[in-house]
Amino acid sequence: MLRRSLIKAATFAAFVAALGFSNAALAADKVNVQLDWVVRGNHAMFFVGKEKGFFAKNDIDVAEIRKGSGSPDAMRLVGNENADFGFGDLPTLAVARSQNVPVVALAAVNQHSPLGIISLAKTLKLTKPSDLKGLTIGIHPAGSTYIFFKGFLAANGLTEKDMTLNSVSPPYESYLLLGRVQTVVGYIDAEVPELEAKAGGPGSLSIMMGADYGWKAYGSGLFTSQAMIKDKPDVVRRFVKAYREAFDYVVAHPEEAAEITAKAAPGYADKKDVLLAQINADIASTFTSPDTKEHGLGWMTKTQWEETLKTLTDQGVLKAALSADDVFTDAFLAKE
């Protein structure tokens, strides 16, 4: 009788344990991620986090990683709760907040802006902002690059009347390489590796960085909606934790990160080398700062956000007054 009771107890305990495991498996929160554009190296954290189990370990199921059509659209989609988390240009997020789009920055991937103005070195070398006078500039008219460009011009005493603007969309090869424009505005961690691959390799481009000429601002980063922070703070906390773990892994293993991203992103099977060049460009110049060395990758400070907002305001990009607390939170950044 005792033996039968022990067997029943053991069976029940096993059932409870199995049920607990099942509930844990079912407990993963399903989320969707909205990118700012087509897949690039600085998006690798999402793919690596999924492939290497960082999200799963934190009970997060990343159901979709959706390509985008620009940072402003990514902000609107997340703000409207059509996606749970997004990635995009953080100065553009500030502009979106001034337009009542309810999005909040969670991590700064680029500690300073990777945006610059690019030309073919063999035909035009850019040495100072005034070199742009009289040139034909290729620029996307509604995205983060245009927000940057307006600020860059204002910071350096230039106006759009000093040059000719032609509307272009990435990829820029057909515009710059064929001579349809003399310069383009783009990201050193996105367009530059793509362009160099077809323009003759490293050194084939002349690049004037905004960060060197008055554009003092964060670059791209992770964000979510005010609604997510209010209604699902634990999901946000676990997502940010997993994302930062994946971020650490990408920086430590850039080649593997590029390979994972190339395999996971549709149509990217042959783009590992470009993705790796993009990741390495960020590792070399934008991922780290004194703040990240002390607190970890993705860290944001109120002081740096205030400087970003001041840059946007002083250069006439930001029309409505905002405080740093309006646009970012560091509540989810502390590592456990």
Side-chain angles (χ1 to χ4, degrees), residues 49-246:
K50 189 169 182 176
E51 173 67 21
K52 302 299 289 187
F54 295 116
F55 288 120
K57 183 178 72 173
N58 287 279
D59 293 325
I60 298 289
D61 174 14
V62 178
E64 285 188 272
I65 304 170
R66 304 166 181 163
K67 69 178 183 179
S69 54
S71 287
D73 288 340
M75 311 296 171
R76 284 190 287 270
L77 288 166
V78 173
N80 292 337
E81 299 179 62
N82 290 312
D84 302 296
F85 296 92
F87 185 92
D89 180 66
L90 296 182
T92 302
L93 181 143
V95 174
R97 286 292 289 117
S98 74
Q99 298 167 347
N100 297 316
V101 180
V103 285
V104 180
L106 297 170
V109 172
N110 303 116
Q111 291 291 300
H112 53 268
S113 177
L115 278 159
I117 301 170
I118 307 160
S119 68
L120 294 178
K122 65 181 181 182
T123 58
L124 175 66
K125 291 196 174 180
L126 300 171
T127 61
K128 56 189 183 301
S130 61
D131 291 342
L132 299 179
K133 288 185 177 182
L135 298 183
T136 301
I137 316 289
I139 189 164
H140 190 278
S144 59
T145 50
Y146 186 55
I147 289 173
F148 154 73
F149 189 63
K150 288 194 295 183
F152 178 87
L153 294 183
N156 292 284
L158 299 169
T159 71
E160 293 181 15
K161 293 180 181 179
D162 292 321
M163 57 212 70
T164 300
L165 301 187
N166 280 4
S167 177
V168 300
S169 297
Y172 296 131
E173 292 89 340
S174 61
Y175 303 95
L176 188 61
L177 299 180
L178 297 178
R180 296 174 184 172
V181 298
Q182 292 167 289
T183 69
V184 293
V185 182
Y187 290 82
I188 62 163
D189 58 351
E191 280 79 37
V192 165
E194 291 266 16
L195 285 166
E196 281 185 340
K198 297 186 179 180
S204 58
L205 304 176
S206 178
I207 304 166
M208 185 161 54
M209 294 301 301
D212 294 333
Y213 294 96
W215 184 252
K216 296 180 180 179
Y218 279 127
S220 295
L222 178 70
F223 63 91
T224 191
S225 64
Q226 289 181 312
M228 278 290 290
I229 290 174
K230 178 177 179 291
D231 299 335
K232 299 179 180 180
D234 187 58
V235 175
V236 178
R237 178 188 61 79
R238 286 183 279 115
F239 187 93
V240 173
K241 182 174 183 291
Y243 181 86
R244 295 185 79 197
E245 289 171 353

Side-chain angles (χ1 to χ4, degrees), residues 16-29 56-60 238:
V16 170
L19 182 62
F21 176 80
S22 176
N23 283 341
L26 293 173
D29 290 283
K57 183 178 72 173
N58 287 279
D59 293 325
I60 298 289
R238 286 183 279 115

